Amino acid sequence: MADLIPFDEITHLFEDFEHTAWRLETQRGYASDRLSPSWERFQRGEAFGFNPDSPWHANVRAQTQRGKRFERVRLVDDPPTEGQRFLMTSGLGNVAAGEDIRNLYRAEAQRLGLPDYDFWVFDSRTVVKFVIDEQGVTLGVQILEDPGTVVLACQARDAAWHHAIATAEFQAQVPSAM
């Protein structure tokens, strides 16, 4: 098993990748979201989106302008949890920055046999697997580069991407809880 390292030690990958950075998001909510200033705005029903001063948005925009791709598939329960509704709302800023985010109902993901853990795959070579506790706290990540793990991540990516629904279309299908 790979060593567990802090997420901060892999952030360089979001700039260093050559072609694609792809994420599978499986959690029903994340502790980091509940601690962010945007969570309170979400709770009040306020709109928020692309923020050019956000380091994430600035990097996504810079990388996508270089022709690189940021993509992600989020698993969503039916009905969505509060944490998933927050991600759908906050994700609009990521989409405006250049990230292609799609959504897939959890039942479909299970039918497809997708993993039940979060990961990034960079350039179809490096998998960064998250270790997250029951409260949604990221304990760390594992960097995995063995061919078997990478192939499974790429197969999961391809299946999820094929079946997922683009953000705007998906959100039009989900009734508002606000």
Side-chain angles (χ1 to χ4, degrees):
M1 176 171 274
D3 292 336
L4 192 63
I5 61 172
F7 180 80
D8 290 347
E9 290 187 21
I10 61 96
T11 57
H12 65 92
L13 293 172
F14 296 100
E15 294 178 11
D16 296 346
F17 73 97
E18 295 178 42
H19 307 287
T20 58
W22 189 90
R23 167 111 187 238
L24 180 65
E25 252 178 14
T26 65
Q27 303 298 300
R28 290 177 168 89
Y30 297 88
S32 59
D33 291 339
R34 293 187 299 272
L35 297 173
S36 81
S38 296
W39 183 261
E40 290 179 23
R41 294 179 67 192
F42 166 73
Q43 295 289 305
R44 292 189 301 264
E46 296 176 12
F48 53 94
F50 175 67
N51 175 359
D53 296 326
S54 155
W56 180 260
H57 290 172
N59 184 55
V60 168
R61 174 136 337 246
Q63 299 304 327
T64 57
Q65 286 176 345
R66 290 183 183 109
K68 299 178 185 183
R69 293 191 334 251
F70 269 94
E71 301 170 338
R72 138 181 4 221
V73 170
R74 289 184 168 139
L75 302 190
V76 180
D77 291 289
D78 189 13
T81 66
E82 183 178 41
Q84 291 163 346
R85 288 193 330 272
F86 173 81
L87 289 169
M88 287 189 286
T89 299
S90 64
L92 296 175
N94 293 17
V95 172
E99 186 175 351
D100 190 346
I101 299 177
R102 300 182 185 188
N103 298 273
L104 182 66
Y105 281 111
R106 187 174 304 281
E108 179 70 0
Q110 290 169 338
R111 186 188 72 71
L112 293 169
L114 296 181
D116 62 354
Y117 54 86
D118 286 32
F119 67 89
W120 279 97
V121 60
F122 295 93
D123 295 325
S124 301
R125 289 193 303 252
T126 303
V127 175
V128 175
K129 180 181 176 183
F130 287 73
V131 177
I132 301 172
D133 72 12
E134 300 79 31
Q135 287 75 41
V137 174
T138 299
L139 304 175
V141 296
Q142 297 171 318
I143 297 177
L144 308 165
E145 293 178 317
D146 63 281
T149 298
V150 172
V151 166
L152 289 174
C154 291
Q155 289 172 336
R157 175 198 61 206
D158 293 349
W161 198 251
H162 177 74
H163 292 279
I165 302 168
T167 295
E169 181 184 344
F170 187 84
Q171 290 190 355
Q173 297 175 13
V174 177
S176 174
M178 295 291 183

